[in-house]
Amino acid sequence: MRVLVTGGAGFIGSHVAVAFRDAGHEVRVLDALLPAVHPPYPDGPPRAEGVELVVGDVRDRGAVDRALDGVDAVCHQAAMVGLGVDVQDMPAYAGINDLGTAVLLAAMASAGIGRLVLAGSMVVYGEGRYECPEHGRVPAAPRRRADLDAGRFEPPCPRCGRQLAWGQVGEDTPPDPRNAYAATKLAQEHLAAAWAGATGGGAVSLRYHNVYGPHMPRDTPYAGVAAVFRSALEAGRAPRVFEDGGQQRDFVHVRDVAAANLAALGATPPESALRAYNVASGTPHTVGDMARALAGAMGGPAPEVTGEYRLGDVRHVVASPARAAAELGFRAAVDLPDGVREFATAPLRPAPR
């Protein structure tokens, strides 16, 4: 199969492209090499052996049409990621993530390409699944600035205000995006579903949880928390952990994410529909756990729990991996201790411009 991987020169996309190549697929990459995540390449951009690289922006219909020539399926990884700096990032998120996806889908329809694997995200869930001891399963009320300032980080029950117990979210959990990035990732799924319904194509959205591993970008406000912690430790500083460090997450290794994409590409696509899958380890850890494990693996100073917070962050979001296991045959293989030991010395992507 000939596959186009958009964003295939980025952190996750490059691992996906190599996994496809190693499985015997012909792989073409379309990547704009945007300066927010890519450093200058004086000798030209890095190219994986056997992977064709086309430099172009997914928002550019001409570049997309050229990249789609002769392609059987598309794996759409191109996106602006992370919580962002502030509200001024909104146009960039909407432009790259949503306009770019719309341009790609329109071009796929014109080219008669009916198979899409989309890089989704767990951020569409907002706060995860919660239960109140009195009212049962409830949506978590938005966290108030006054509570966060006072160090009250757990979301309250919207009916009685009591502290909630968190649980795993399944793919049928109603979406509740709570920041600009999350809103654009949900919009990508809606656009893909509309494309599938109109064209008869099939789309899979892989909702990645907290991805880490070799070649993460360093020293950028859009990097994942594991890279932020490692950059601090490399500089001899204690990793700074926001809130009280008790935020529950599911950290999944990038090789497992690439394996999930390969499984989705090989599965029978849903017809005229979009099907979502959590891509997660199934074993939750706190943000503080990640900081302590990485500090231990690198022999660095213990994490500093700051009590600081970012509006738009969620408290707990932990996934159920059951659907991906049952329908795609995907199960994460890298556990956190092994993954962190590797990540402690793995190469990172150089700092962007």
Side-chain angles (χ1 to χ4, degrees), residues 1-91:
M1 187 183 299
R2 182 174 293 170
V3 186
L4 175 66
V5 181
T6 69
F11 163 46
I12 297 175
S14 60
H15 286 271
V16 171
V18 168
F20 286 175
R21 179 204 65 188
D22 291 349
H25 297 292
E26 295 180 53
V27 183
R28 179 181 296 151
V29 161
L30 175 67
D31 201 297
L33 303 179
L34 296 177
V37 291
H38 289 273
Y41 295 119
D43 300 321
R47 299 168 184 264
E49 184 178 352
V51 174
E52 179 187 357
L53 173 64
V54 176
V55 178
D57 197 308
V58 75
R59 294 167 290 184
D60 179 347
R61 177 62 184 265
V64 172
D65 284 339
R66 291 188 293 274
L68 287 174
D69 184 41
V71 163
D72 302 302
V74 173
C75 183
H76 185 30
Q77 304 288 322
M80 185 171 177
V81 301
L83 184 60
V85 176
D86 57 36
V87 72
Q88 299 305 317
D89 278 330
M90 278 187 171

Side-chain angles (χ1 to χ4, degrees), residues 7-349:
F11 163 46
I12 297 175
S14 60
H15 286 271
V16 171
V18 168
F20 286 175
R21 179 204 65 188
D22 291 349
H25 297 292
E26 295 180 53
V27 183
R28 179 181 296 151
V29 161
L30 175 67
D31 201 297
L33 303 179
L34 296 177
V37 291
H38 289 273
Y41 295 119
D43 300 321
R47 299 168 184 264
E49 184 178 352
V51 174
E52 179 187 357
L53 173 64
V54 176
V55 178
D57 197 308
V58 75
R59 294 167 290 184
D60 179 347
R61 177 62 184 265
V64 172
D65 284 339
R66 291 188 293 274
L68 287 174
D69 184 41
V71 163
D72 302 302
V74 173
C75 183
H76 185 30
Q77 304 288 322
M80 185 171 177
V81 301
L83 184 60
V85 176
D86 57 36
V87 72
Q88 299 305 317
D89 278 330
M90 278 187 171
Y93 277 110
I96 294 170
N97 296 354
D98 297 339
L99 175 60
T101 298
V103 170
L104 174 66
L105 294 171
M108 288 175 63
S110 295
I113 300 168
R115 193 180 185 102
L116 174 71
V117 178
L118 172 67
S121 176
M122 57 86 173
V123 295
V124 301
Y125 298 123
E127 288 286 355
R129 186 188 128 194
Y130 290 90
E131 291 198 9
C132 172
E134 181 176 350
H135 298 107
R137 187 177 298 185
V138 294
R143 299 193 294 170
R144 300 181 305 168
R145 187 188 293 268
D147 288 334
L148 296 171
D149 286 338
R152 294 188 293 270
F153 301 118
E154 296 293 337
C157 174
R159 297 176 63 183
C160 68
R162 296 173 69 178
Q163 184 171 318
L164 302 173
W166 59 269
Q168 289 186 329
V169 291
E171 292 84 350
D172 293 330
T173 300
D176 183 22
R178 298 202 174 190
N179 56 59
Y181 171 56
T184 63
K185 294 305 289 183
L186 182 59
Q188 282 186 314
E189 291 193 357
H190 289 323
L191 289 166
W195 163 84
T199 65
V204 165
S205 178
L206 300 177
R207 292 175 176 168
Y208 304 158
H209 284 249
N210 290 71
V211 186
Y212 73 101
H215 305 296
M216 284 189 83
R218 67 163 80 232
D219 300 327
T220 163
Y222 307 99
V225 68
V228 172
F229 290 161
R230 185 175 141 175
S231 292
L233 288 161
E234 286 180 330
R237 302 190 307 270
R240 292 171 55 81
V241 179
F242 281 13
E243 302 187 17
D244 59 1
Q247 308 94 303
Q248 293 284 347
R249 296 291 188 270
D250 192 310
F251 295 97
V252 58
H253 196 277
V254 69
R255 282 198 302 274
D256 284 327
V257 172
N261 277 270
L262 188 59
L265 186 70
T268 301
E271 191 171 321
S272 303
L274 178 139
R275 186 75 166 159
Y277 297 94
N278 288 324
V279 175
S281 73
T283 304
H285 294 275
T286 68
V287 173
D289 288 339
M290 168 58 87
R292 286 186 290 272
L294 196 52
M298 297 179 67
E304 176 189 353
V305 178
T306 68
E308 298 175 66
Y309 62 87
R310 296 188 304 175
L311 290 174
D313 269 345
V314 297
R315 180 62 177 173
H316 305 300
V317 56
V318 173
S320 167
R323 179 186 288 183
E327 298 183 12
L328 300 180
F330 166 73
R331 293 174 178 82
V334 182
D335 65 19
L336 189 70
D338 289 342
V340 168
R341 279 192 294 270
E342 178 201 27
F343 179 64
T345 57
L348 297 185
R349 188 173 298 272

